[in-house]
Structure formats: C-alpha cells, structure tokens
Amino acid sequence: MAATVPVSEVKSNTRESRTAAHSHIKGLGLKGPDGRADTSGGGFVGQAAAREACGLVVDLVKAKKMSGRAVLLAGGPGTGKTALALAVSQELGTKVPFCPIVGSEIYSAEVKKTEALMENFRRAIGLRVKETKEVYEGEVTELTPEEAENPLGGYGRTISHLLITLKSARGTKKLRLDPSIYEAIQKERVRLGDVIYIEANTGAVKRVGRSDAYATEFDLEAEEYVPIPKGDVHKKKEIVQDVTLHDLDVANARPQGGQDIMSMMGQLMKPKKTEITEKLRLEINKVVSKYIDQGVADLVPGVLFIDEVHMLDLEAFTFLNRALESPLSPLVILASNRGLTHIRGAPNLPPSAHGIPSDLLARLLIIPTHPYTPAEIKSIVSTRSRTEGLQLAPAALDKISSLGEKVSLRYGLQLLAPASILAKVAGRQGGVIEVGDVEECEGLFLDAGRSAKNLASTEGFIA
Ligand SMILES: Nc1ncnc2c1ncn2[C@@H]1O[C@H](COP(=O)(O)OP(=O)(O)O)[C@@H](O)[C@H]1O
Ligand SMILES: [Mg+2]
C-alpha cells in the first residue's frame, strides 16, 4: 500500500497526534458555579461523584486551605484514578506546581527513599517572589563593546566597557557598563532590537523579547514580540518569579562559581552538585519564611501525586505522616487499587485497607472511583479513538466496548492501536477498523486472565 502524500496535507505535530494514555483528558469538566459534573465533560465520561469531589479539592487548593492534607483515590484498576489526578493538575493551571510520582520511584540505589520523597515534596511547593527592583529597561538600539589593551600584557585585547543604549516610550538612555555584564548579555543572546532589562543592583540581564517594531509577517522563528516598555528607561519594576522549593535547594547546592578561572576549573573538575542536606533545607526554609513574613513572597502549595501508593513501605509512610505536619506542605493525592492487603515490608502486621497504615488512613479524605457502565465504556472508547485519530466501524466499537466490560477498560483501549495497524495493512479505505481486526488482535494479545489460565495448563515455563 504505497500511498502518496500530497505535501499540502502534511500537518505539523499538533497535540492531537501524540498519543499518551490520558491525552483525551482536558480537565474535570465541571459546569457552573456549584461545580456539578455532567455525564461527560473535559474528555471525562461518568465518574461524576469523584469528579465533583476532585473539583472541591481544586477549590480548596486554590484557596490555600488544603496544604498538609491528603486525599486518596481508591478504586479498581482502570477506573480513572490517574486520569482524575491529571485533570486536577490541569484545573489548577501551570502556576501551581504539580509533581506526579509512582510509589516505586522512591527506591533507588543512590538516594535514600526518605530523601527521594522529601525532594518530591519540595518540588510540589511553589514560591511566588515579588520584588520591586531598580532596573534599566528598553529596546537595545546600540550595543558596542569597547576594547582596550590587555592590562596584564600579552596577546589579545580585553573588553573594558560596554556601551549600550536603551530606548523606552519616554526617552533613551546611554549606559556605560562593566564588562562582566557583557557576558550576561551574550548568554541571553541579546541583539539590537531586543527588549531587555538590567537590574541596577546585581547587573543581572533578562531578555524580555523582541521589540514588536521588528515583527515581520514571515518570521519563521518562534519569537516573542513585545511592545517598547512604557515610562522611563531607569525605573522601579515589579518582577514576579515562580520557583519551587526544590529549585531553591538545587540553586543553593550548586558550587557558587565566580567569574575567575580558578573557580571555573573547580566547576569543571567537580561537575556534580554538592548534596542537598537537611541543614541546607532548613536554612532555605528560614529564608523563605522571612520572605513570606515580609510580604516579598507568597507560598503556593501545590500537589504531590503518589500513584500506586501501596508500593510505599512503613518507613516511607511514617515519613509521609511527618511531612504532612510541616507548615510547608503541599496537598498530597494518593492513588491505590488495592483493597485489604499487607503493608509492604510488614508481613507480620495485620492487613490494612489499601495497604496504608491506619494512622495515615485516619488523615485521608477518601474519594472512591467506581467501575463503569457499558454505555460509559463505549463512550470512553469512542472518545479515545477520536483522540488517537482512529475510525471504528460500529461493530468494532461494540466489540472493544464489550472487551472493556468483560476484561478491563485498559485492555480494550490497548487493542485500539494494534487494531488500527491491522486495518491499515489490510489497505481498507480510510483505515476504518472492522470487527475482524479487533478479533484478530484479541487472538494475538492475551489479557491477564487468559494468560494466567495458559500458565495453569502448561505448568509454568521453567522446567
Ligand atoms: N471517566 C473516564 N473518562 C475518560 N477516560 C477515562 C475515564 N476513566 C479512565 N479513562 C481512561 O482509561 C484508561 C485507564 O484509566 P486510569 O486513569 O489509568 O485508571 P487507574 O489509574 O484507575 O488504574 C486511561 O487511558 C484513562 O485516561
Ligand atoms: Mg493508575
């Protein structure tokens, strides 16, 4: 099947064409001021009560009333727990940190598990720093490095000064700057016609964008055009920065290299950052609290999502308990598909609900997710096939939906992609998936139940 593709039909890689398992989920899909869930919305089908509950959680996070608490999404596999957590993050927007991990991620040979948990806790706590700074801001209309003989002799010349002219709506200003700023300017790739600001105290340079006077119709570059700044070149400007506590930890753990050659060598020889220690974190917490008290910074508690939480062991759960008590704590969303089971690493304790110790269970708000009705499964399958850009014949849709019902939703959804390949190989018009393709796939790929039956009848693989 050698199809020719007319060039005009080649589309760029839009989001639709990427297929991650949850790419059809765009939000919780709640309506109105009271946040009711319709039967479907935001790519979500059914599960209305859980969606409404998650909507409340979103409201609480936005009102900053949710830090130090934890929510557990509990329900069978394929009932949309992970999808709900992702929808919560989409509802919160990009300014609220969302840190998703899987329980098993904390076990690594190099890092202690409590350390790994701590790091993720701090990734989920944001800080919005507002600072009024004295800056020079404008469009660069002149950028001339002034050279001089190297004062130490030898070859080459050094830059003695940088002449830069900035233009704003109210006038222009010519600045004579220290050569160290020249490096910063080169790092930000500033050219003539860019809008930049230079912090008066630190000399830090930030490129805001390209002046819109230079905007042309046929610019292929991904460039952000900004208007020429209002007001004077020399002024006070409020600068807002969003960082997470983990960003601060990392930034402060890195060896503070200066401009001189020795410290540069030091950085080359010791590329590993120094460790983030408990002491460093305490210090950072202190500074952060001071900023918050002074009104310089706002705490933005975000969300830490721990999927498959039954993979955590007693030690990790104890740590979770303690971390939730701390004043700097995010909302923690846990998800588990286990019922009554042993806590990992504690086979001697009696089984506990969801594999979570009872003292943590007592703190949790538990949101149950329920199995889907056949109609809901059908609707999810067709939403999903639309997202993957696949066409299903009605009989094929019925077949996949019934597999989703009898076996599992995930198994049904997973057959979509291979079935579409069979449909393409068959060279059918428009690649429509027929019921035969699905049946063939069902024969090719076992589900867990049939695979287990297989094993039982062949007495296992290793003789
Ligand atoms: N209510 C729903 N609406 C739309 N898609 C859903 C819904 N519930 C689950 N899905 C999709 O079904 C698949 C399995 O769900 P998932 O969230 O991974 O289940 P769980 O985490 O509970 O095991 C995912 O592709 C998910 O996006
Ligand atoms: Mg999941």
Side-chain angles (χ1 to χ4, degrees), residues 11 73 89 141 148 199 270 279 342 389 393 419 422 447 450:
K11 274 197 296 196
L73 298 169
S89 91
T141 55
E199 283 177 23
K270 248 198 318 176
K279 189 161 158 256
H342 284 289
L422 291 185
D447 59 78
R450 274 188 290 153

Side-chain angles (χ1 to χ4, degrees), residues 45-63:
V45 178
Q47 214 63 271
R51 276 158 57 206
E52 284 176 9
C54 285
L56 272 179
V57 170
V58 169
D59 289 343
L60 285 170
V61 173
K62 282 187 179 158

Side-chain angles (χ1 to χ4, degrees), residues 22 78 80-83 305 307-308 335 337 410:
H22 305 283
K81 298 181 298 296
T82 308
F305 173 52
D307 210 347
E308 319 282 351
N337 54 25
R410 222 178 263 160

Side-chain angles (χ1 to χ4, degrees), residues 265-310:
M265 286 304 288
Q267 279 176 38
L268 286 182
M269 281 166 355
K270 248 198 318 176
K272 252 183 70 187
K273 49 184 198 281
T274 56
E275 208 175 320
I276 300 172
T277 56
E278 189 64 30
K279 189 161 158 256
L280 175 75
R281 287 201 171 115
L282 281 176
E283 219 125 274
I284 287 178
N285 286 358
K286 235 186 265 164
V287 176
V288 166
S289 310
K290 204 173 78 195
Y291 279 172
I292 295 172
D293 289 344
Q294 291 170 347
V296 178
D298 268 335
L299 201 64
V300 188
V303 176
L304 171 64
F305 173 52
I306 308 180
D307 210 347
E308 319 282 351
V309 70
H310 48 263

Side-chain angles (χ1 to χ4, degrees), residues 145-197:
E146 270 193 347
E147 292 185 344
E149 294 287 346
N150 192 334
L152 302 175
Y155 303 107
R157 301 163 79 83
T158 58
I159 305 223
S160 69
H161 276 107
L162 176 68
L163 287 180
I164 188 166
T165 307
L166 293 177
K167 186 171 102 188
S168 76
R170 288 263 289 276
T172 60
K173 200 169 193 97
K174 198 168 185 148
L175 306 171
R176 207 174 144 85
L177 300 173
D178 193 74
S180 66
I181 293 183
Y182 188 51
E183 283 169 27
I185 280 191
Q186 280 178 321
K187 242 187 228 153
E188 289 270 301
R189 298 176 196 276
V190 173
R191 343 170 249 160
L192 287 186
D194 286 350
V195 173
I196 64 169
Y197 65 79

Side-chain angles (χ1 to χ4, degrees), residues 361-375:
L361 270 178
R363 290 172 171 267
L364 299 177
L365 297 172
I366 301 180
I367 301 178
T369 57
H370 301 290
Y372 293 111
T373 64

